Amino acid sequence: MQTNLASWARGTNEGNDAEEILRRCVHCGFCLATCPTYQILGDELDSPRGRIYLIKQVLEGAEPTRATQQHLDRCLTCRNCETTCPSGVEYGALVDIGRKLVDERVERPLAQRLQRGALRTLLTSRLFGPALALGRLMRPMLPVLLRNKIPARRPAGAVPRHGGRHARQVLMPRGCVQPDMLPSIDAATLRVLDAVGIGARDVPAAGCCGAIQFHLDAQDRALDQMRANIDAWLPLLDSGQVEAIVINASGCGGMVREYAHHLRHDPNYAAKALRVVDKVRDVSEILAPHAQQLRARMASLPARVAFHPPCTLQHWQGLRSVSERLLTDLGFALQPFNESHLCCGSAGTYSVTQPSLSGSLRERKLQAIGETQPDCIVSSNIGCITHLQAGTETPVRHWIEVVDEALSAGDGGMRNAA
């Protein structure tokens, strides 16, 4: 694609990066077939190719409008389009640039500014836990949109007290909302890691991975969060006290794996970010070599299980096959379903900022999954889990929770009571 950048963009880091990506696009349109929003809306401006044109126009000097902003907002950033692009267009990186440039030039309506500001503040605040507890008490009186965001309580159970004795140690960041919304996921992860002789720890100085701020018009704040996490994690990695950063929420894992990309122009953190990214592992990658060891100790699993691979797992990190192979090796009877490559509509805070589109995508996803008549749906990202559960009576769990329960049953129920 030929480009003629405006003078204000020419020679800047953002302009140079965007131009390199734009020139790879050959207008083929393959991306339209794999774009969830285009599948629903049928508007090319709500497809990757259409959004690429909009971003190109802005970079060439056209004045963006609220309509431009809306079309970019509707993008789920699922990156399904990248997996089918024959030219290797890094659409996700381009839309990040486009959103930042448009948001700098187009003021959002007051309601949107308040909503996004509240999400940025609350979801990364210590007040989130108390707010969630209050929400659970008032759940029947809340609007449906908020009610659906409050999952039922799941007991976490006891966590291993002797994890520090293991020779193998990993970092396991706690994340923002998962410890309060579904503490059972982290607890299950700690127990399963312990079962294969791996201890896990967190660093209090670390915080949110940066995804929430980054995707809600605060990219600079997100970069500061990334730097703070690097400063907290890197000493333990460099000293060999831990062998990896293990993440059980694919949304967080996808963001942390991109620290080197986001900080590539930072002379003080570019090299540090590369060292961190090299040590990031999804929990499925850590457990894959231990599948037979775990399976030998596990009791029976649900008869029919549907695995929903989050976009951040399959398109961002390319780990769908790793997770599915692990689940199969552990004895899961996975039921394939149509359109498993399409986004479920969760996409971080997208289900709050774009509820109609998000709901349509969830309905489409659950219909496809429902045709397999599963006893349980498993996934690997808290956002997808809570989003899907709000639309179905079928249990939706993190697969690590199901593995943990099968291990506990196989050990006579003693592990979770320890």
Side-chain angles (χ1 to χ4, degrees):
M1 179 181 291
Q2 292 184 342
T3 58
N4 183 23
L5 298 188
S7 58
W8 58 263
R10 202 175 303 131
T12 64
N13 287 332
E14 289 173 338
N16 291 339
D17 291 343
E19 186 171 36
E20 182 181 351
I21 298 170
L22 285 167
R23 290 190 172 185
R24 295 182 199 166
C25 181
V26 296
H27 321 275
C28 65
F30 284 5
C31 56
L32 275 66
T34 55
C35 175
T37 52
Y38 181 74
Q39 296 297 307
I40 290 176
L41 299 173
D43 184 343
E44 178 147 351
L45 292 178
D46 289 310
S47 76
R49 186 168 68 178
R51 295 183 183 112
I52 286 172
Y53 275 115
L54 291 174
I55 295 167
K56 177 177 181 289
Q57 288 173 348
V58 172
L59 285 161
E60 290 182 334
E63 195 64 29
T65 65
R66 271 289 297 140
T68 310
Q69 194 173 54
Q70 287 174 334
H71 290 301
L72 297 185
D73 283 348
R74 287 176 187 157
C75 175
L76 294 138
T77 327
C78 68
R79 300 192 184 174
N80 194 13
C81 55
E82 291 188 8
T83 66
T84 55
C85 177
S87 303
V89 174
E90 294 176 323
Y91 169 79
L94 181 64
V95 82
D96 287 342
I97 294 171
R99 282 171 167 161
K100 185 171 187 271
L101 294 175
V102 171
D103 289 339
E104 289 171 350
R105 290 162 174 76
V106 179
E107 185 176 48
R108 293 184 178 278
L110 177 61
Q112 281 195 18
R113 298 202 305 273
L114 293 174
Q115 180 192 54
R116 287 170 172 255
L119 289 169
R120 286 197 306 264
T121 302
L122 180 60
L123 295 179
T124 59
S125 167
R126 293 179 181 177
L127 296 176
F128 177 74
L132 178 65
L134 179 62
R136 282 197 166 110
L137 290 174
M138 301 179 61
R139 193 174 186 276
M141 297 175 281
L142 293 176
V144 173
L145 179 62
L146 290 177
R147 193 186 315 152
N148 287 344
K149 291 298 167 189
I150 302 177
R153 291 180 181 274
R154 293 183 192 169
V159 296
R161 302 188 186 96
H162 55 271
R165 303 177 195 165
H166 293 303
R168 296 181 64 188
Q169 294 288 314
V170 298
L171 271 174
M172 197 179 87
R174 286 173 52 82
C176 299
V177 300
Q178 186 167 283
D180 291 307
M181 290 186 76
L182 290 175
S184 55
I185 296 176
D186 284 346
T189 304
L190 291 170
R191 288 190 290 265
V192 176
L193 288 172
D194 180 66
V196 297
I198 300 175
R201 66 176 79 173
D202 188 20
V203 183
C208 175
C209 67
I212 291 172
Q213 299 284 352
F214 194 89
H215 295 298
L216 287 172
D217 313 335
Q219 292 189 15
D220 289 339
R221 288 185 220 167
L223 296 180
D224 287 339
Q225 290 180 319
M226 295 176 196
R227 295 183 186 102
N229 287 339
I230 290 171
D231 289 339
W233 297 334
L234 202 54
L236 291 173
L237 292 168
D238 285 347
S239 65
Q241 295 180 60
V242 296
E243 64 182 70
I245 300 171
V246 176
I247 301 178
N248 57 15
S250 65
C252 300
M255 176 55 74
V256 177
R257 283 187 192 268
E258 299 208 329
Y259 276 15
H261 166 73
H262 293 306
L263 294 169
R264 65 196 180 282
H265 298 306
D266 185 328
N268 296 320
Y269 280 86
K272 294 178 182 179
L274 282 170
R275 300 211 301 277
V276 165
V277 169
D278 184 57
K279 296 296 185 179
V280 177
R281 300 290 184 272
D282 184 78
V283 66
S284 63
E285 296 178 278
I286 289 290
L287 293 177
H290 305 281
Q292 295 308 315
Q293 175 188 351
L294 290 169
R295 185 169 183 173
R297 295 174 53 184
M298 290 165 57
S300 60
L301 293 162
R304 299 172 64 84
V305 177
F307 173 59
H308 164 65
C311 299
T312 44
L313 184 82
Q314 60 175 328
H315 305 317
W316 286 49
Q317 301 186 74
L319 294 176
R320 173 176 177 169
S321 61
V322 173
S323 296
E324 290 182 336
R325 190 180 310 117
L326 170 62
L327 294 179
T328 300
D329 289 345
L330 289 171
F332 282 80
L334 299 183
Q335 307 299 310
F337 57 90
N338 293 327
E339 297 187 343
S340 58
H341 61 290
L342 288 183
C343 183
C344 69
S346 173
T349 58
Y350 188 95
S351 58
V352 178
T353 60
Q354 302 286 336
S356 178
L357 278 171
S358 176
S360 297
L361 288 167
R362 179 178 62 197
E363 183 179 346
R364 181 170 178 154
K365 175 69 67 174
L366 288 172
Q367 182 176 352
I369 293 175
E371 291 174 358
T372 71
Q373 299 182 325
D375 299 305
C376 180
I377 301 169
V378 297
S379 190
S380 52
N381 192 52
I382 184 172
C384 302
I385 291 166
T386 56
H387 182 60
L388 291 173
Q389 188 66 85
T392 180
E393 295 298 320
T394 303
V396 186
R397 314 289 304 279
H398 193 298
W399 61 263
I400 198 80
E401 295 178 279
V402 182
V403 171
D404 175 58
E405 288 180 357
L407 279 172
S408 181
D411 290 343
M414 296 301 296
R415 291 172 62 253
N416 289 2

